[in-house]
Amino acid sequence: MHCPTVFVWENFGPLHAARAEAVALALERRVVGIELFRRSQVYDWETPEPTGFQKITLRREAGVGGGLLWPLLQALARIRPAAVFFCHYERPDVMLAAWVCRLFGVATFVMNDSKFDDYPRHLWREVIKSAFYRPYQGAIAASARSRDYLRFLGVPADRIEMHYDCVPVDAIRRLAGAPPAPDGAPFPARHFTVVARHVPKKNIGLAIEAFALARAAGSGRRLVLCGSGPLEGQLRAQAAALGIAGHVEFRGFVQTDEVARVLGQTLALILPSTEEQYGQVVAEAMALGVPALVSDRCGARDELVRSLVNGFVFEPDNAAGLARMMGLLDRDEALWRDMAARCAGAAAQVDLPPFVESVRRLLARTGKGPAESGVTRRRVPSATATNALARRKARIRAELARLGLKRFK
């Protein structure tokens, strides 16, 4: 029986759970999910019951019950994992837990979708940040730019796998209740859609401005906004000032199943963010054959969106350009159908098997999973290094025993 593989996320939303289930099923391993909090600090999604894997919750909510390092170490000690995939590298408690895992022979990996161009970088902060990546023996990145950023921070290139932000394509298509475009809802009945929190970096005001320009140019479609946040009142006022309030529908925050149903009726997804590490909703749109209009700040455009193939890429301050792109899809059904059909290629990229394969490859590289041809095993340490490591482990075991913490395997 293999020792378990553990995934650590702040909270297990529907897509996190789907990844854990896929790994457990495909690799025939026991998988345990550790969520830091019962509810997400960012999203109001409903947390599903785990199927095919075990889930452990450390705290009911952030700021309640003290720090996380001790309960995280206790949970890992009970599980006795072979490998742990961590998210939230920036948390000191996560970094320290990763170091303890390494000292006890547990393979540690980081999952991340951050990019260098997310916001202005400062050398001193990047140097400190690189230290937070030191415990990890490999990584799963979301996009080409996030892979390059991990390399910049010191993660070896041959230890970085891709496809972090995958989605369960079949499940999303079932939830949509309609076949992927260009089938399903008729072309004239489809609307434009934004799925994003109402916060400044999502830049939804630009989408409303572009929609107003498209309406002025003759479009008769609606704009559906799914999401909530502090800017909702400002966005409603903007729509009213532009004279399009009757054509903009605010749905509020919607769960994953409702997102799928909305996308199933969508002409094109719009994601105009000024800062967007990836943009997972782009993957969901591709799963449903919906072309995506995304800003060049979105990590998802690196792998998924090709202009005039399955979507368009625009600058996040270019409302006029976005309006013309919307107009092309609005008026040209043949173009839209061709682009919708071409989303199938991207849908294969965002499905769960590539994520599972990335996990398997990292496990194999560290000797914690099935071997694969062409994979270089880690170097055997020298006797001097082995003795020094043994002494460090002995000291840590003694201290943890004094605190009543069980040993890792």
Side-chain angles (χ1 to χ4, degrees), residues 281-318:
V281 69
V282 178
E284 297 175 74
M286 293 293 155
L288 293 171
V290 175
L293 314 182
V294 303
S295 81
D296 57 16
R297 307 296 174 85
C298 299
R301 68 97 168 171
D302 295 357
E303 274 71 41
L304 301 184
V305 182
R306 293 294 176 267
S307 288
L308 276 172
V309 176
N310 60 1
F312 291 99
V313 178
F314 60 92
E315 302 83 5
D317 61 351
N318 187 0

Side-chain angles (χ1 to χ4, degrees), residues 113-121 142-146 165 200-203 206 271-280 282 293-303 305 312-318:
D113 53 14
S114 295
K115 315 184 309 300
F116 189 90
D117 61 356
D118 286 334
Y119 43 80
R121 303 291 182 179
S143 67
R145 280 179 285 174
S146 60
D165 282 322
K201 70 177 185 179
K202 298 299 183 178
N203 199 26
L206 182 107
L271 193 59
S273 308
T274 57
E275 175 194 331
E276 190 72 60
Q277 283 72 31
Y278 187 74
Q280 199 155 252
V282 178
L293 314 182
V294 303
S295 81
D296 57 16
R297 307 296 174 85
C298 299
R301 68 97 168 171
D302 295 357
E303 274 71 41
V305 182
F312 291 99
V313 178
F314 60 92
E315 302 83 5
D317 61 351
N318 187 0

Side-chain angles (χ1 to χ4, degrees), residues 134-352:
R134 292 292 299 277
Y136 302 108
Q137 296 165 278
I140 303 181
S143 67
R145 280 179 285 174
S146 60
R147 177 191 61 206
D148 292 343
Y149 188 41
L150 286 167
R151 290 175 57 196
F152 171 79
L153 292 170
V155 181
D158 62 350
R159 292 296 181 94
I160 302 174
E161 297 293 336
M162 299 290 287
H163 309 295
Y164 172 42
D165 282 322
C166 284
V167 300
V169 170
D170 288 343
I172 288 171
R173 288 173 175 172
R174 288 195 300 271
L175 291 172
D183 297 325
F187 177 76
R190 291 177 176 265
H191 51 71
F192 293 105
T193 300
V194 176
V195 181
R197 291 179 293 140
H198 298 345
V199 296
K201 70 177 185 179
K202 298 299 183 178
N203 199 26
I204 298 173
L206 182 107
I208 293 176
E209 181 183 352
F211 178 67
L213 293 173
R215 292 278 310 180
S219 174
R221 298 190 187 268
R222 295 178 297 124
L223 176 64
V224 174
L225 303 180
C226 296
S228 60
L231 296 186
E232 181 173 332
Q234 178 180 321
L235 296 173
R236 287 180 179 273
Q238 179 187 5
L242 292 171
I244 56 171
H247 308 289
V248 180
E249 182 179 347
F250 288 80
R251 293 279 184 95
F253 181 85
V254 296
Q255 299 295 332
T256 300
D257 55 349
E258 181 63 17
V259 170
R261 287 192 287 271
V262 171
L263 289 175
Q265 307 295 313
T266 293
L267 181 79
L269 173 75
I270 303 171
L271 193 59
S273 308
T274 57
E275 175 194 331
E276 190 72 60
Q277 283 72 31
Y278 187 74
Q280 199 155 252
V281 69
V282 178
E284 297 175 74
M286 293 293 155
L288 293 171
V290 175
L293 314 182
V294 303
S295 81
D296 57 16
R297 307 296 174 85
C298 299
R301 68 97 168 171
D302 295 357
E303 274 71 41
L304 301 184
V305 182
R306 293 294 176 267
S307 288
L308 276 172
V309 176
N310 60 1
F312 291 99
V313 178
F314 60 92
E315 302 83 5
D317 61 351
N318 187 0
L322 174 57
R324 295 188 70 176
M325 295 170 186
M326 296 167 71
L328 283 173
L329 292 177
D330 174 41
R331 295 188 299 270
D332 193 335
E333 182 173 356
L335 173 65
W336 175 80
R337 287 186 170 276
D338 180 69
M339 293 176 72
R342 293 176 185 272
C343 290
Q349 288 182 252
V350 302
D351 207 355
L352 293 174

Side-chain angles (χ1 to χ4, degrees), residues 16-170:
H16 302 97
R19 292 176 204 150
E21 293 167 12
V23 171
L25 178 64
L27 301 188
E28 298 181 337
R29 303 176 70 89
R30 181 186 167 209
V31 170
V32 180
I34 297 179
E35 63 179 8
L36 305 183
F37 308 110
R38 189 175 302 279
R39 292 190 62 84
S40 170
Q41 299 178 76
V42 179
Y43 301 102
D44 292 326
W45 55 42
E46 296 174 356
T47 302
E49 289 299 317
T51 302
F53 73 100
Q54 177 188 357
K55 187 177 75 172
I56 297 172
T57 303
L58 301 185
R59 292 280 187 255
R60 181 167 54 86
E61 59 184 84
V64 176
L68 287 170
L69 177 59
W70 179 248
L72 180 55
L73 288 176
Q74 285 183 312
L76 290 169
R78 290 194 299 270
I79 298 167
R80 301 169 70 87
V84 183
F85 289 79
F86 289 95
C87 197
H88 313 294
Y89 76 92
E90 74 282 359
R91 297 182 61 101
D93 40 24
V94 168
M95 181 187 68
L96 291 172
W99 273 122
V100 172
C101 286
R102 285 292 303 275
L103 289 170
F104 282 94
V106 178
T108 58
F109 308 103
V110 65
M111 303 176 290
N112 202 357
D113 53 14
S114 295
K115 315 184 309 300
F116 189 90
D117 61 356
D118 286 334
Y119 43 80
R121 303 291 182 179
H122 302 282
L123 179 60
W124 65 271
R125 291 191 64 179
E126 298 307 299
V127 170
I128 294 172
K129 187 181 297 183
S130 67
F132 279 68
Y133 281 91
R134 292 292 299 277
Y136 302 108
Q137 296 165 278
I140 303 181
S143 67
R145 280 179 285 174
S146 60
R147 177 191 61 206
D148 292 343
Y149 188 41
L150 286 167
R151 290 175 57 196
F152 171 79
L153 292 170
V155 181
D158 62 350
R159 292 296 181 94
I160 302 174
E161 297 293 336
M162 299 290 287
H163 309 295
Y164 172 42
D165 282 322
C166 284
V167 300
V169 170
D170 288 343

